């Protein structure tokens, strides 16, 4: 009986843990030698099109710059790589159905259709959760060829309100995206 009381709590803990994760993916040009790229600059025309506030753009660009510098890049006015970003957002709706109740579902005792076995509606504890999922794309473009060579993306719930939490969240998303750069390509 004690275990049944802990199940809703366990579900809430798992829900909170799943909300804090960033789903990351990347794609790249397999013919690119990523070790050739050591300098970068931001691609202003692309960044200007990103549909986020100017404050969030600054946060993202600071986080990207920190990650690029940590990977050994140098910011340059004559870069080998141009960095651009863009964003997408969509509302996510999750319905969590906890059928924990007195004789809910099939089971022994006082069945809905009569007799000891049957369906009893009991009570249901359904929870609907709405959140906005944001996806941040980071593009690395060969400055000479003007071709996309790598794209990383991270999708996570957006944080609003507290500015410090928002900045921490952006830093985490950018860090996790940049963890998959450079791609593990044979010969690089």
């Amino acid at each position: 009986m004690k275990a049944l009381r802990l199940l809703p709590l366990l579900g809430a803990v798992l829900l909170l843990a799943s909300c804090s994760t960033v789903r990351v993916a990347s794609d790249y040009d397999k013919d690119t030698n990523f070790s050739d790229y050591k300098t970068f600059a931001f691609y202003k025309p692309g960044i200007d099109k990103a549909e986020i506030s100017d404050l969030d753009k600054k946060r993202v660009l600071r986080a990207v710059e920190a990650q690029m510098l940590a990977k050994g890049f140098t910011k340059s006015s004559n870069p080998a790589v141009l960095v651009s970003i863009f964003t997408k957002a969509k509302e996510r709706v999750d319905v969590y159905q906890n059928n924990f109740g007195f004789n809910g579902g099939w089971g022994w005792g006082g069945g809905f259709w009569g007799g000891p076995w049957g369906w009893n509606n009991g009570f249901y504890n359904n929870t609907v959760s709405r959140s906005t999922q944001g996806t941040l794309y980071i593009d690395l473009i060969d400055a000479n060829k003007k071709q996309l060579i790598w794209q990383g993306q991270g999708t996570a719930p957006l944080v609003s309100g507290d500015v410090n939490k928002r900045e921490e969240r952006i830093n985490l998303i950018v860090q996790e995206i940049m963890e998959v750069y450079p791609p593990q390509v044979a010969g690089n």
Side-chain angles (χ1 to χ4, degrees), residues 116-152:
W117 284 93
W119 182 256
N120 182 346
N121 287 328
F123 67 86
Y124 296 95
N125 184 13
N126 295 333
T127 305
V128 177
S129 170
R130 293 179 190 273
S131 63
T132 301
Q133 295 283 309
T135 302
L136 171 65
Y137 295 84
I138 301 173
D139 291 346
L140 300 185
I141 303 161
D142 183 297
N144 292 326
K145 297 177 185 175
K146 305 288 189 245
Q147 293 179 347
L148 182 65
I149 57 170
W150 183 85
Q151 183 179 70

Side-chain angles (χ1 to χ4, degrees), residues 40 42 58-70 83-85 136-140 170-171 174-175 178:
F40 78 99
F42 290 108
K58 287 179 186 179
R59 291 178 183 110
V60 170
L61 296 179
R62 280 193 304 260
V64 170
E65 183 172 341
Q67 290 297 314
M68 295 293 284
L69 294 172
V83 179
S84 187
I85 63 166
L136 171 65
Y137 295 84
I138 301 173
D139 291 346
L140 300 185
I170 288 171
N171 288 336
V174 170
Q175 177 185 349
M178 293 305 294

Side-chain angles (χ1 to χ4, degrees), residues 14-53:
L14 291 174
L15 171 64
L16 290 175
S18 69
C19 288
S20 66
T21 61
V22 179
R23 291 186 317 265
V24 174
S26 67
D27 195 7
Y28 61 93
D29 179 350
K30 66 179 182 165
D31 295 327
T32 299
N33 184 354
F34 291 93
S35 63
D36 290 344
Y37 300 102
K38 300 293 182 200
T39 58
F40 78 99
F42 290 108
Y43 183 63
K44 187 170 173 22
I47 292 167
D48 287 344
K49 293 178 185 175
E51 295 181 8
I52 55 175
S53 74

